[in-house]
Every structure is written in structure tokens, then in C-alpha cells.
Amino acid sequence: MSAEEKRKAATAAKRQRKSASRLYAVQALYQMEMSGQDADRVAREFETHRFGMELDDVQFAEGDIDHFRKLLDWAVNWQARIDQMTDRALVAAWPIDRIDPVLRALFRAAGAELLAPGTPAKVAITEFVDVARAFFPEGKEPKFVNAVLDHMAREARPDDFAG
């Protein structure tokens, strides 16, 4: 394998770990809401038992622990701001507390990534629409997620959409 092929493989592996960390962050935020457990306890459980786990001959992906932790921390610390931003993106009849808890967790994780510097808004939207497809492979939720996240991203990062 050439040096260029090794670099590309390493970049792809890093991207896959980051994508997995987004999925795990949504699961962890959902678990926190359903169980009342704090972020640190849930994060340790995921890092110890879920990242790279094998279940019924299925190997789960390794996650990017740093990105996973950042998403959880940001989602918890900025939850009120993220929820308000999400409410503005939803129709008035459907405030965030009335939507599916998995979608609520997804919007909180995505909102955290949109509010933090680093990931381009369009990349974050694409990644979290993919997460929605993982949870709702046959439903309309991925299109709904795309529309809501587009609205949230334009509010959080207007410069990413200028021009």
C-alpha cells in the first residue's frame, strides 16, 4: 500500500469513527432522557460497552471518543439554546417536547455540532440525516430532519450559507 493509499485509508477510518460518534451521541442523549442518568455516567457506559461492541455476530463501529464527549457536553450545556433553536425550526403546533424522543436527541446532538466551531454546517446536516436514516430507515423522518436542521443551521451559521 502506497503512502497516499495509507493516508486515504486513515482519513476514511477517522471519518467513520466520527460518524459513529454522532450515532452514539444520539443514543446516549436518548438514554439520558429516558433514564434520568447524567452525561458522564452514560458516556462511560458507551465508551466501555458500546464502542466496538459485538452483538449477534455484528461488529459495532468504534467511535471517536473525543467527538462523542464534546457532542454530549455541548448538548447538555447548550440544551436550552438548542431546544429554542429547534422550536423555531418546527411548526408552532409541534414544540420540541411533543416530538419523538429519538428525534429530540438527534436535534440536540446536531444542534450542539452546529453551534460549535469546526464541522461545516452542510456536513453536519448530511451526517445527522444519515443518523436519522439509521433510526427510521422506512419513514419520512430523514426528510423532516433535513428540513429542521437546514433551518437550524441557517440560524446558527448564516455565513455558511451566504453567497
Side-chain angles (χ1 to χ4, degrees):
M1 185 181 284
S2 72
E4 179 64 17
E5 290 171 327
K6 287 180 184 177
R7 186 191 64 74
K8 285 182 180 179
T11 300
K14 181 178 179 182
R15 191 174 298 127
Q16 182 182 22
R17 284 191 306 276
K18 212 167 188 181
S19 293
S21 69
R22 291 179 178 102
L23 180 86
Y24 292 140
V26 171
Q27 291 174 323
L29 288 166
Y30 174 85
Q31 182 173 323
M32 288 166 52
E33 182 175 342
M34 294 296 111
S35 70
Q37 296 173 326
D38 68 31
D40 193 52
R41 181 176 177 173
V42 171
R44 282 194 316 271
E45 176 188 327
F46 271 75
E47 293 161 11
T48 304
H49 300 294
R50 303 231 185 143
F51 283 28
M53 163 180 85
E54 188 173 323
L55 180 66
D56 297 328
D57 296 325
V58 174
Q59 181 72 40
F60 286 66
E62 283 294 335
D64 178 326
I65 290 175
D66 291 336
H67 194 65
F68 171 74
R69 281 281 182 153
K70 285 178 186 176
L71 286 174
L72 284 186
D73 289 344
W74 294 333
V76 169
N77 291 330
W78 303 336
Q79 182 175 325
R81 184 175 173 196
I82 293 166
D83 286 357
Q84 290 168 0
M85 193 168 58
T86 306
D87 275 340
R88 288 189 291 274
L90 296 167
V91 293
W94 290 101
I96 192 166
D97 61 341
R98 289 188 58 197
I99 64 170
D100 181 278
V102 172
L103 290 175
R104 190 166 39 250
L106 186 147
F107 291 140
R108 287 176 177 155
E113 190 150 5
L114 289 169
L115 288 173
T119 307
K122 291 177 183 179
V123 171
I125 292 169
T126 299
E127 288 285 329
F128 281 100
V129 168
D130 287 346
V131 170
R133 281 190 192 102
F135 286 110
F136 305 100
E138 304 297 322
K140 295 179 182 178
E141 290 85 352
K143 288 181 181 181
F144 174 66
V145 166
N146 186 59
V148 171
L149 292 183
D150 182 70
H151 188 281
M152 291 171 66
R154 289 174 188 278
E155 178 180 332
R157 303 246 195 100
D159 292 347
D160 283 12
F161 297 90

